[in-house]
Amino acid sequence: MLELSNINAGYGNVQVLRGLSLTAGPGQVTCVMGRNGAGKTTMLRAIMGQISTTAGSITLSGTPLQTLPAHEVPRAGIGYVPQGRRLFGELTVAQNIEIGLMTRGKGRATRDYVLSLFPRLRERLSQRSSTLSGGEQQMLAIARALCLEPSVLLLDEPTEGLQPSMITLIRDTLLTLKSTGVAIVLVEQRVDAVLAMADHIAFVTAGSVAETVPNTGLSTDSAQFKTYVGV
Ligand SMILES: Nc1ncnc2c1ncn2[C@@H]1O[C@H](COP(=O)(O)OP(=O)(O)OP(=O)(O)O)[C@@H](O)[C@H]1O
Ligand SMILES: [Mg+2]
């Protein structure tokens, strides 16, 4: 269980997160929605230790994460697929995967499992990752995060700009991971995707979670989408 409790964080003296709380449980998809600039990416960066918090706590199964340096957070079992996918573009697919495996000392079995989720990557192991299609790059970004065998997977708008077949593939993969007990935190702007995937939806506005609702009885015209997302 990943738990954020009343965290404050920002950039320099600009505060972005204000008393933000969020819980993500194993085998659950927690979708995070909110307008541009609401603080969704900042929240994920705070979890990853890329920016420091000035108040509140972040724990994974009760263990505090904030005291860890940023490079230790993935080793604690938190996979991160950043917005706009950050790959090592000069490196091949195989090398990007190797870096993911090395982070937590995982080996052959993990590599085989990850490549079984994304057979297209297996066909392109020696290709330089900057030459992959957008969808393939996103698969590789997810694959690299999965090489940690994470207990928590954070994804920041992973289907942004992708064609429908690729979106379906990524969603199916996330549902497979959910069934294996991974806690998934999915920042997603599309209401249809959220309704199809989420167990819970956290609505972020002005740097805090205004409301968390279970995905039951929500529909495309529920008030929350209008209020917090503007659709
Ligand atoms: N490196 C930075 N330095 C200063 N301010 C930043 C930095 N990164 C983000 N911000 C500011 O923090 C606020 C929240 O940004 P954030 O990227 O978390 O929003 P978001 O909810 O992810 O938005 P989007 O839906 O557009 O991705 C914005 O006002 C943004 O300008
Ligand atoms: Mg963002």
Side-chain angles (χ1 to χ4, degrees):
M1 176 90 83
L2 174 72
E3 225 168 339
L4 281 62
S5 176
N6 275 306
I7 62 167
N8 290 353
Y11 304 92
N13 40 23
V14 180
Q15 188 179 352
V16 176
L17 304 183
R18 298 161 191 280
L20 182 141
S21 297
L22 182 91
T23 309
Q28 303 262 298
V29 177
T30 304
C31 283
V32 178
M33 299 192 89
R35 291 189 166 80
N36 297 130
K40 305 177 297 294
T41 297
T42 302
M43 175 188 80
L44 299 184
R45 296 192 62 202
I47 297 168
M48 296 311 294
Q50 296 179 355
I51 58 167
S52 47
T53 51
T54 52
S57 70
I58 305 177
T59 58
L60 178 62
S61 311
T63 307
L65 291 179
Q66 287 140 301
T67 47
L68 300 179
H71 70 274
E72 292 278 358
V73 176
R75 289 185 199 159
I78 304 196
Y80 180 35
V81 181
Q83 194 165 18
R85 19 171 206 281
R86 304 249 166 71
L87 295 166
F88 298 105
E90 296 303 305
L91 301 185
T92 63
V93 170
Q95 287 167 329
N96 268 281
I97 288 191
E98 200 51 45
I99 286 171
L101 292 169
M102 270 167 18
T103 306
R104 262 186 122 192
K106 300 295 177 186
R108 187 69 190 248
T110 308
R111 186 178 190 271
D112 286 346
Y113 172 66
V114 167
L115 289 173
S116 75
L117 292 172
F118 298 109
R120 281 175 75 154
L121 293 179
R122 194 190 282 286
E123 294 160 16
R124 292 174 170 75
L125 284 170
S126 58
Q127 191 172 329
R128 203 141 67 109
S129 53
S130 59
T131 64
L132 294 172
S133 76
E136 290 162 357
Q137 288 190 29
Q138 191 58 273
M139 284 185 203
L140 179 55
I142 297 170
R144 196 178 55 184
L146 293 179
C147 286
L148 305 172
E149 291 187 25
S151 55
V152 177
L153 182 63
L154 314 175
L155 303 110
D156 200 345
E157 302 195 35
T159 60
E160 203 177 12
L162 301 185
Q163 68 184 57
S165 65
M166 198 63 78
I167 293 176
T168 304
L169 192 147
I170 287 174
R171 285 184 196 164
D172 289 348
T173 306
L174 296 183
L175 292 174
T176 302
L177 292 168
K178 166 184 153 82
S179 73
T180 68
V182 178
I184 297 174
V185 177
L186 174 63
V187 175
E188 172 64 65
Q189 300 281 28
R190 293 188 185 87
V191 174
D192 62 325
V194 167
L195 290 173
M197 302 274 303
D199 293 289
H200 301 278
I201 308 170
F203 293 98
V204 177
T205 183
S208 102
V209 173
E211 221 180 303
T212 303
V213 296
N215 182 15
T216 46
L218 281 180
S219 70
T220 45
D221 36 45
S222 293
Q224 285 93 341
F225 296 121
K226 204 175 222 79
T227 308
Y228 302 115
V229 194
V231 290

